[in-house]
Amino acid sequence: LIVVVAPTPNLNIITKTKAMASPAAQQRQQPLVRFLPFRSVAEPSFWLDHGSRKLNELRLSEDGVQLRGFFGASANSTGSRGGASSGAALPPGMRFDASSNADESDAEANSNDRGDNNTAVRRNEWVLSHGAIHSLNTLESFKKLNKNAFLNGACLPSLLSCCGIRSDGDDSDTVHDCSEDDPNAALVPSLCLAYCNLKTNATVYWFAFPALAPRTGRGVAYSGRSERPQRGLADEWGPRACLALSDAFHKFRISTEREDMRSKTSGVWCPPFFMLLKGEGDGGKRFRCLPLRKSAYDSLSEEERERVIFGFVDPNTTAAALGSDLEAVGWTLRNLVAYLSLRLNLGGQDRTFLSYRSPFLRRITPSEMEGEDDDENDGVDYDDEMRESFEDVSGDRYDAGVGGSLLLDIAIPLASDYWWPNSNDGSSYSSSSYRCVGWELNRNRKPGPRSVDLRPLVSPAHLSRQANDLNLRLMKWRALPLLDIDMLSKMKVLILGAGTLGCGVARTLLGWGVRRITFVDSGRVSYSNPVRQSLFGVEDCKDGGKYKAVAAAESLVMVAGPDVKSEGVVLTIPMPGHSFGKDGTEGGGTEDPETEAVRRDVAKLHDLIGDSNVVFLLTDTRESRWLPTVIAMATGTPLINAALGLDSWLVMRHGPPSENAGKAVCRDSGRRRLGCYFCSDVVAPENSTRDRTLDQQCTVTRPGLAPIAASMATELLVAMSHHPLGHSAPAPINRDGQFAPVDNGKDPSSCPLGRLPHQIRGTIATYTMMTPTVPAFPCCTACSDGVVGEYKSRMFHFVRDVCCDSDGSYLEKVSGLEEFREEAARKAEECLDWDEDDM
């Protein structure tokens, strides 16, 4: 209940009408007007769009957001012109689609983006209903909510404001003054309560179409002044008058549309209410439609006020068939009658209403919008051509299809009839309240909610994508509001090595919403792989085995659906110490097939790394990691490296390229640039499979180690991508021997997901982990300026020289490592060349 204080004029009316008990009693003896409520017609697109809005925008908020429904005249409301032939009353439909969730500003922006700033976008053949939808967070709160109290609290303020009544306790300076306002939008409200189960795509909902209700025993009744309080329009006025009325109402719609377009508001599209003046001359075929406003009513003369007819667009099509000769009329009439009683002070008077029914209201075209408004929209007779245009609609009646409209003589309730006395004092009018009705009936024709299951109506691809992202979207509700899901979904990831680590990283990337993944591997799936590598099965091992890269890419699509864009590239990475081809020259000459194949592989690998947003380096051997490290440094592509031992693992991110030659520093942090996988070595990488037994050639590791390292590598990437500096983010410096540092959010390495280490080293022998920071080595054989510069200038020829050098001396010379070792040896000799006196 909302307690209100009525304005002084209404209190005067109440005082004066207490003595009118007898006329009121006589009025209540007349048949009551039967109203046919709306039924909600919510399309699947509406619920899908609302579910997405709840997940991504509303989250935990249960506040009401804008809701826009729409209904049409007669057949437009139900979507079929044959609805009346069934003989049973079909409640008119209030429709909701995907556009019903859009704000007015969004709808206007979309219209401007399309260049459609015209009436065609506005669908002005429909009546627009403004309201709100409240999306509750739990089904229990939906069930426990006091629905009637909620309806009154949500809808009474706007309805009472429209009727010129302010709620008790409102600041008088902020009270809505409706003297010049258009009440059309406020008198056709809608409300929805919903609970969306985002896991099952099922929604429980309850629509309401609020209307001010007179208190018990004071319903809206027909007038006793006429023997036929409900009359057919064609029978009462004749077909030609119906034609003239249809033309006058169409011109009134054009005038209203022009006014809305000038004010750049959505308005109500087709006005649901209007005032009608019927001329006495020309056989009563002259009409003038006026907007329903207090100012328009006050401008009428006394004689015009007495004969004005109040019209409303009635979506009903058939009789209610409830054993009465009086048909049920549209639900919107309830609020129109209340407005006349409370706002125009017409309570206690008998007035005529027009239930305007038409088989269709055609859309107003842009050409009809051209020109100026007519001061008078009356005095138009239809010629033969216009009459013929309605023959298909109205048969032989020639009444423009509106002959089925009704004239209603209604006794408007008193203003006091809308006041519900407090329960503690039924006779007191000093402190009373108003009430709303309008909750929709369920399919059993009883008050209660409805439900919809969208799973049969939604494509498996959409269900898969929505379910995959559900965990991430829920993170943004409370735990990680700064999580950038869109950025992750657009990220292009290159995985070098489709083995145990590659499969684990790919599966974890799917969990983070990454959808664009490319595998690079030259091996085939063997029978020893499926138990450790989660993207392969026994079928992939048959007939020599599928290529790992191709099988892994196909498996990702099967796991996460067609929304995943995955590709497998069969490619052999050239490695130092693994010579190929015959001797050749840089200046030309014919290359053997093996050399040509390696040249293509180098070019392909360079393009793949350069086109990716990040690279995961997960190959088996140490030397296979060298060339990707060099290319990533040359192209500036972030690289995450992961390696396994028997019971230990390493995950690290490589630092960005040096901005200045010879200075390995990070510009943004002032700290030294972070090192790469090879920065701790003082020798060049070489062939690690030469003269090795099988257990030394294979990656022999404890089975539980790879999933840990794969998860850590993926988490490191996601954290790095959310740091403001991204690839250039500094690493934390652990001081005072901190074994388990705490993230206070103030360290330069901190990001929304926590601290961003350089390396993560762990062992399951002692179940411990540490995060050291290792600066770049100026003479590194992979990321030093000398090596990267040589690669940029010579590309494939540099790679060939490194790979075909059997002892690694060439790479050590280019990197400066050879000179570094010589200098170290000299200093060591100087330290050992002591005299006895120095002792």
Side-chain angles (χ1 to χ4, degrees):
L1 301 182
I2 288 186
V3 179
V4 298
V5 176
T8 303
N10 286 347
L11 291 176
N12 293 338
I13 292 174
I14 294 171
T15 303
K16 294 178 180 179
T17 55
K18 285 184 178 180
M20 299 173 60
S22 179
Q26 295 177 1
Q27 186 183 54
R28 288 193 296 275
Q29 294 174 359
Q30 298 298 320
L32 295 178
V33 179
R34 290 184 293 108
F35 303 97
L36 192 59
F38 283 109
R39 62 185 175 92
S40 61
V41 183
E43 298 181 5
S45 60
F46 169 77
W47 294 119
L48 289 173
D49 186 79
H50 177 70
S52 176
R53 192 176 189 184
K54 174 65 174 176
L55 184 61
N56 300 312
E57 300 177 21
L58 302 179
R59 302 174 189 171
L60 293 171
S61 173
E62 295 183 344
D63 296 337
V65 293
Q66 185 173 14
L67 175 69
R68 305 200 306 173
F70 51 94
F71 70 92
S74 297
N76 280 349
S77 298
T78 61
S80 170
R81 292 187 183 181
S85 62
S86 63
L90 181 63
M94 182 74 77
R95 308 188 69 88
F96 302 91
D97 58 17
S99 66
S100 300
N101 291 310
D103 294 334
E104 292 185 19
S105 57
D106 296 337
E108 184 178 351
N110 294 336
S111 173
N112 294 334
D113 291 341
R114 295 190 304 265
D116 293 337
N117 191 17
N118 54 52
T119 56
V121 179
R122 294 167 58 86
R123 295 188 291 182
N124 50 50
E125 72 274 23
W126 300 89
V127 177
L128 187 61
S129 171
H130 295 270
I133 180 170
H134 295 255
S135 188
L136 304 186
N137 292 324
T138 65
L139 184 59
E140 289 72 17
S141 62
F142 184 97
K143 293 178 179 179
K144 294 178 180 179
L145 183 67
N146 186 325
K147 307 301 189 302
N148 289 330
F150 181 81
L151 179 67
N152 288 322
C155 301
L156 271 178
S158 60
L159 282 173
L160 296 179
S161 175
C162 172
C163 295
I165 300 173
R166 68 180 180 88
S167 299
D168 187 23
D170 283 353
D171 185 353
S172 59
D173 294 335
T174 61
V175 173
H176 204 129
D177 183 4
C178 298
S179 58
E180 296 299 332
D181 284 353
D182 184 355
N184 284 280
L187 294 179
V188 190
S190 54
L191 180 70
C192 181
L193 280 175
Y195 165 69
C196 300
N197 189 325
L198 300 175
K199 288 186 176 181
T200 63
N201 280 277
T203 300
V204 179
Y205 66 93
W206 200 348
F207 279 97
F209 307 101
L212 285 171
R215 69 177 184 269
T216 304
R218 303 296 177 92
V220 180
Y222 285 103
S223 170
R225 70 181 183 183
S226 173
E227 295 181 0
R228 297 175 59 214
Q230 186 182 100
R231 307 175 299 282
L233 188 66
D235 297 336
E236 186 77 6
W237 288 355
R240 291 184 60 83
C242 293
L243 286 170
L245 171 62
S246 175
D247 181 65
F249 183 66
H250 185 73
K251 287 191 172 185
F252 172 64
R253 289 176 55 209
I254 294 176
S255 175
T256 303
E257 185 73 1
R258 286 173 179 163
E259 182 178 345
D260 289 342
M261 293 295 290
R262 283 194 294 263
S263 61
K264 297 182 179 181
T265 60
S266 63
V268 289
W269 292 345
C270 173
F273 308 108
F274 58 96
M275 297 188 296
L276 178 67
L277 287 175
K278 182 173 182 288
E280 298 298 333
D282 196 17
K285 299 190 295 294
R286 299 175 65 86
F287 294 93
R288 184 157 60 104
C289 293
L290 301 173
L292 180 67
R293 293 176 183 170
K294 188 175 187 304
S295 58
Y297 179 79
D298 291 341
S299 66
L300 300 177
S301 64
E302 289 293 334
E303 184 268 337
E304 289 175 330
R305 293 182 190 179
E306 290 295 328
R307 61 184 179 88
V308 68
I309 298 174
F310 298 98
F312 64 100
V313 175
D314 192 340
N316 286 359
T317 57
T318 64
L322 297 177
S324 172
D325 294 332
L326 300 177
E327 295 187 16
V329 295
W331 187 255
T332 55
L333 177 60
R334 296 193 68 137
N335 282 333
L336 173 60
V337 172
Y339 177 81
L340 300 183
S341 175
L342 299 173
R343 184 60 178 164
L344 301 188
N345 298 330
L346 299 182
Q349 300 185 25
D350 293 338
R351 289 302 180 117
T352 300
F353 293 80
L354 171 63
S355 167
Y356 188 84
R357 303 182 178 188
S358 174
F360 68 94
L361 291 176
R362 67 180 180 85
R363 179 171 295 185
I364 297 174
T365 62
S367 60
E368 293 177 280
M369 293 291 295
E370 298 176 358
E372 299 296 332
D373 294 337
D374 295 331
D375 293 335
E376 298 288 337
N377 58 7
D378 57 355
V380 177
D381 288 332
Y382 282 85
D383 55 19
D384 294 337
E385 180 180 356
M386 180 64 72
R387 184 181 300 109
E388 291 175 1
S389 67
F390 288 104
E391 290 184 12
D392 293 338
V393 178
S394 305
D396 57 357
R397 292 189 300 170
Y398 307 116
D399 57 6
V402 301
S405 301
L406 301 175
L407 290 173
L408 313 171
D409 293 332
I410 294 177
I412 300 177
L414 303 171
S416 59
D417 291 342
Y418 286 94
W419 286 53
W420 291 71
N422 288 342
S423 58
N424 58 354
D425 184 4
S427 61
S428 172
Y429 285 92
S430 60
S431 179
S432 302
S433 58
Y434 293 86
R435 294 184 184 178
C436 277
V437 295
W439 286 111
E440 182 184 18
L441 302 180
N442 59 23
R443 291 179 176 85
N444 297 324
R445 307 304 299 166
K446 296 180 179 179
R450 302 187 180 200
S451 63
V452 58
D453 186 357
L454 298 175
R455 284 174 294 184
L457 306 177
V458 182
S459 68
H462 179 88
L463 290 175
S464 174
R465 175 60 184 271
Q466 186 181 51
N468 291 340
D469 288 349
L470 179 60
N471 181 56
L472 300 177
R473 303 288 176 181
L474 295 179
M475 285 184 188
K476 292 177 65 69
W477 284 23
R478 240 193 284 253
L480 294 173
L482 298 180
L483 182 64
D484 193 343
I485 300 175
D486 293 335
M487 177 268 295
L488 293 174
S489 67
K490 298 175 183 177
M491 181 181 292
K492 293 188 293 184
V493 176
L494 178 65
I495 297 179
L496 302 180
T500 308
L501 281 172
C503 292
V505 166
R507 293 294 294 263
T508 312
L509 286 173
L510 290 180
W512 275 110
V514 177
R515 295 292 183 269
R516 306 172 69 179
I517 301 174
T518 301
F519 292 93
V520 171
D521 202 302
S522 60
R524 293 179 179 270
V525 183
S526 65
Y527 284 98
S528 64
N529 295 148
V531 294
R532 295 178 294 110
Q533 300 172 7
S534 59
L535 293 180
F536 306 134
V538 175
E539 291 294 325
D540 298 320
C541 307
K542 296 180 178 180
D543 301 325
K546 292 182 179 179
Y547 281 109
K548 283 188 173 182
V550 176
E554 294 174 351
S555 181
L556 279 189
V557 177
M558 294 179 62
V559 168
D563 186 59
V564 174
K565 307 300 180 183
S566 184
E567 179 186 4
V569 178
V570 179
L571 183 150
T572 301
I573 300 175
M575 297 175 284
H578 295 251
S579 61
F580 58 86
K582 300 178 181 179
D583 292 338
T585 61
E586 296 184 22
T590 303
E591 294 179 338
D592 61 283
E594 185 179 9
T595 302
E596 291 180 358
V598 175
R599 181 190 291 272
R600 290 193 298 270
D601 287 344
V602 171
K604 180 66 173 177
L605 184 61
H606 183 95
D607 292 341
L608 288 171
I609 294 177
D611 292 340
S612 301
N613 298 118
V614 67
V615 177
F616 280 93
L617 188 48
L618 312 172
T619 54
D620 288 334
T621 63
R622 188 175 189 84
E623 61 269 26
S624 63
R625 301 169 186 261
W626 174 80
L627 182 57
T629 300
V630 176
I631 297 177
M633 190 63 61
T635 58
T637 306
L639 188 146
I640 305 292
N641 207 323
L644 301 176
L646 174 63
D647 52 17
S648 60
W649 49 271
L650 164 69
V651 171
M652 64 180 299
R653 57 187 175 102
H654 289 189
S658 300
E659 296 247 335
N660 302 313
K663 295 183 179 180
V665 296
C666 180
R667 175 191 60 182
D668 298 293
S669 67
R671 308 180 185 190
R672 295 189 63 185
R673 179 171 62 84
L674 301 179
C676 75
Y677 182 73
F678 296 92
C679 281
S680 299
D681 294 350
V682 292
V683 294
E686 58 183 12
N687 190 341
S688 62
T689 61
R690 184 185 301 149
D691 298 328
R692 300 290 181 94
T693 60
L694 182 60
D695 65 316
Q696 293 174 323
Q697 294 181 26
C698 298
T699 305
V700 180
T701 183
R702 291 169 64 168
L705 210 62
I708 298 174
S711 300
M712 285 291 180
T714 309
E715 294 294 328
L716 185 62
L717 163 67
V718 176
M720 182 179 70
S721 64
H722 283 79
H723 194 282
L725 300 180
H727 189 194
S728 300
I733 299 178
N734 296 329
R735 298 180 176 88
D736 302 328
Q738 286 182 327
F739 187 76
V742 177
D743 180 31
N744 57 11
K746 298 180 180 179
D747 192 274
S749 65
S750 295
C751 71
L753 277 72
R755 299 183 79 179
L756 188 60
H758 174 219
Q759 296 184 8
I760 310 171
R761 294 179 178 266
T763 174
I764 55 176
T766 57
Y767 297 96
T768 56
M769 227 171 26
M770 58 182 177
T771 56
T773 298
V774 179
F777 180 33
C779 299
C780 176
T781 56
C783 71
S784 63
D785 294 327
V787 173
V788 175
E790 192 72 7
Y791 171 78
K792 288 182 177 180
S793 62
R794 299 181 60 212
M795 301 289 286
F796 167 73
H797 301 288
F798 171 67
V799 175
R800 183 195 59 195
D801 291 345
V802 172
C803 294
C804 295
D805 182 23
S806 59
D807 60 2
S809 58
Y810 173 70
L811 186 56
E812 292 177 356
K813 182 178 180 180
V814 172
S815 64
L817 185 58
E818 181 181 66
E819 182 180 353
F820 175 81
R821 286 209 305 262
E822 292 175 354
E823 180 67 20
R826 285 196 300 268
K827 294 202 178 283
E829 291 179 359
E830 292 176 0
C831 291
L832 295 176
D833 189 14
W834 293 342
D835 295 332
E836 293 184 1
D837 295 339
D838 296 332
M839 300 296 291

